[in-house]
């Protein structure tokens, strides 16, 4: 444990919550009393077991004040974690640009639009267990990344709307989305079906969709993508807690465009019945009430347990903003 003195853990910040003595997120600065400038890569390598334990307890760790400036620096930080790379390939519909071996831009949806709460790729058969985010250029105003513990949402919704949670448990969820052929930069899910399935061939797209547990219904050059029924919740073995591991909030409350303007059709019960509007609105409000809104500083690195926490993006009110991301198995 002696090496832990490379870090200085801070509690009581405005951008933290405490639940049962657990601080979310954990926030680590370089130790000002260290004998030399602390490099985040060195500190991570020297403290992997301790950081794993901290991430297990908290669900998220924010590293602040370290000399991380570029995508290459960020790639080195991710590598230093020892986590295996998760390639963001077919099936992911968010528009991203790959910058280095392990670094992508965060979702390139129009910055003035909200991206709702979600676990990354929770609708897919395979999803990352860890996420890294890096602030290359801090936002002018707005553009916060919001995070919330998934088991908290599950427990509070079960307490407030037990019948709704029981229906979700029994029926699961179906997600519906119409995709264009090509990129739509005006959409919060900008990838068209060619980008999502990484092919220009409809038959190949259907094969890849089937492998990913998706069904395609062609509408000329556009396509309706149907996912599910998928489980609404997931039991987190490590935490021994049931989590709100689904894409209900982002599908209902934050993925609207010209081809997808009715949230009641974007996500439905597994039997095709619509979700109750009042309960869903309560859920969306609960996310806002329970989340921590991270106001990015240049050089920040956020490590998120994708099985324990959901994340979202608030609209950017004043540019610039550039957040990068990396995904780990």
């Amino acid at each position: 444990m002696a090496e832990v003195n490379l870090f200085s853990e801070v509690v009581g910040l405005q951008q933290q919550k405490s639940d049962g003595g657990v601080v979310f997120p954990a926030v680590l600065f370089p130790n000002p009393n260290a004998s030399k400038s602390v490099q985040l890569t060195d500190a991570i390598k020297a403290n992997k077991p301790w950081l794993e334990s901290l991430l297990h307890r908290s669900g998220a760790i924010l590293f602040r004040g370290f000399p991380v400036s570029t995508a290459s620096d960020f790639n080195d930080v991710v590598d230093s974690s020892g986590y295996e790379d998760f390639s963001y390939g077919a099936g992911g519909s968010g528009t991203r640009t790959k910058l280095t071996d392990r670094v992508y831009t965060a979702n390139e949806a129009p910055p003035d639009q909200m991206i709702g709460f979600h676990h990354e790729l929770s609708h897919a058969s395979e999803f990352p267990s860890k996420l890294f985010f890096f602030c290359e250029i801090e936002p002018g105003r707005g553009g916060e990344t919001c995070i919330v513990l998934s088991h908290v949402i599950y427990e509070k919704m079960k307490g407030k709307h037990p019948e709704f949670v029981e229906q979700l448990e029994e029926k699961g969820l179906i997600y519906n989305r119409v995709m264009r052929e090509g990129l739509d930069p005006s959409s919060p899910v900008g990838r068209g079906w060619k980008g999502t399935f990484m092919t220009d061939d409809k038959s190949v797209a259907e094969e890849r969709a089937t492998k990913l547990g998706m069904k395609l219904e062609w509408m000329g050059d556009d396509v309706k993508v149907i996912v599910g029924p998928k489980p609404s919740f997931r039991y987190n073995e490590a935490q021994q807690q049931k989590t709100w591991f689904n894409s209900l909030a982002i599908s209902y409350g934050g993925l609207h465009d010209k081809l997808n303007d009715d949230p009641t059709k974007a996500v439905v019960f597994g039997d095709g019945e619509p979700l109750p509007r009042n309960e869903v609105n309560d859920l969306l409000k609960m996310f806002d009430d329970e989340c921590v809104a991270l106001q990015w500083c240049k050089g920040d690195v956020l490590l998120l347990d994708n099985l324990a926490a959901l994340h979202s993006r608030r609209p950017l009110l004043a540019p610039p903003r550039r957040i990068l991301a990396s995904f780990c198995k």
Side-chain angles (χ1 to χ4, degrees):
M1 287 291 291
E3 295 90 346
V4 174
N5 62 15
L6 293 174
F7 290 115
S8 176
E9 186 173 359
V10 179
V11 297
L13 299 179
Q14 184 177 359
Q15 297 179 56
Q16 288 177 309
K17 287 200 171 193
S18 181
D19 179 29
V22 176
V23 176
F24 175 78
V27 179
L28 301 179
F29 283 81
N31 190 333
N33 299 318
S35 58
K36 61 180 181 178
S37 176
V38 179
Q39 299 298 313
L40 183 53
T41 51
D42 294 338
I44 289 175
K45 289 176 182 177
N47 295 282
K48 286 182 183 178
W50 181 74
L51 289 171
E52 277 291 331
S53 176
L54 185 61
L55 183 63
H56 174 79
R57 292 198 310 273
S58 180
I61 303 174
L62 177 65
F63 301 95
R64 175 165 285 178
F66 293 89
V68 183
S69 301
T70 66
S72 179
D73 292 342
F74 178 45
N75 195 103
D76 291 343
V77 170
V78 176
D79 273 342
S80 72
S81 71
Y83 298 137
E84 188 178 351
D85 182 42
F86 181 97
S87 179
Y88 192 88
S93 54
T95 304
R96 304 179 187 276
T97 301
K98 190 171 185 179
L99 303 176
T100 71
D101 286 345
R102 302 190 63 170
V103 173
Y104 302 78
T105 55
N107 193 323
E108 296 175 9
D112 61 339
Q113 296 186 21
M114 171 79 175
I115 299 177
F117 280 96
H118 60 288
H119 290 275
E120 196 67 37
L121 295 175
S122 64
H123 66 281
S125 55
E126 295 184 357
F127 43 81
S129 68
K130 310 283 192 307
L131 312 175
F132 281 92
F133 295 98
F134 163 61
C135 178
E136 187 176 38
I137 301 174
E138 66 184 68
R141 185 162 55 91
E144 298 92 345
T145 292
C146 300
I147 56 176
V148 66
L149 287 170
S150 191
H151 77 275
V152 171
I153 298 299
Y154 174 82
E155 290 168 1
K156 287 185 176 291
M157 281 299 292
K158 187 176 181 180
K160 187 170 185 180
H161 295 295
E163 292 183 1
F164 177 48
V165 171
E166 184 177 347
Q167 285 181 297
L168 288 171
E169 186 84 65
E170 292 176 356
K171 298 179 179 181
L173 291 164
I174 292 176
Y175 305 97
N176 302 295
R177 181 158 192 87
V178 179
M179 286 186 172
R180 295 183 185 275
E181 182 179 30
L183 181 69
D184 180 5
S186 69
S187 170
V189 181
R191 258 179 160 182
W193 64 262
K194 289 184 176 180
T196 297
F197 300 108
M198 306 177 76
T199 181
D200 293 344
D201 190 318
K202 289 183 178 182
S203 61
V204 174
E206 289 180 0
E207 290 175 8
R208 292 179 178 172
T210 299
K211 289 180 180 179
L212 293 166
M214 303 175 180
K215 179 182 177 183
L216 304 186
E217 294 182 356
W218 295 101
M219 306 162 60
D221 289 331
D222 300 332
V223 66
K224 181 178 180 181
V225 182
I226 304 167
V227 182
K230 302 288 288 185
S232 302
F233 312 119
R234 186 179 189 278
Y235 186 75
N236 188 333
E237 294 286 351
Q239 315 289 10
Q240 296 189 337
Q241 295 166 329
K242 189 164 283 190
T243 58
W244 196 268
F245 198 81
N246 59 58
S247 298
L248 192 164
I250 188 172
S251 298
Y252 195 98
L255 293 181
H256 306 160
D257 59 25
K258 294 176 182 177
L259 297 179
N260 302 273
D261 58 359
D262 186 351
T264 65
K265 295 179 180 178
V267 54
V268 296
F269 282 123
D271 60 3
E273 289 297 311
L275 303 177
R277 188 180 297 270
N278 288 341
E279 283 82 342
V280 173
N281 287 338
D282 278 353
L283 170 67
L284 299 180
K285 183 177 185 303
M286 187 178 293
F287 273 119
D288 286 338
D289 292 342
E290 296 297 329
C291 77
V292 172
L294 295 177
Q295 297 178 353
W296 289 105
C297 294
K298 179 176 172 57
D300 281 353
V301 174
L302 175 67
L303 170 57
L304 202 65
D305 183 341
N306 190 43
L307 307 182
L310 305 100
H311 64 282
S312 73
R313 186 196 74 184
R314 287 182 177 171
L316 183 66
L317 303 178
R321 178 188 191 270
R322 184 171 167 88
I323 306 298
L324 308 183
S326 185
F327 313 92
C328 306
K329 288 185 177 178

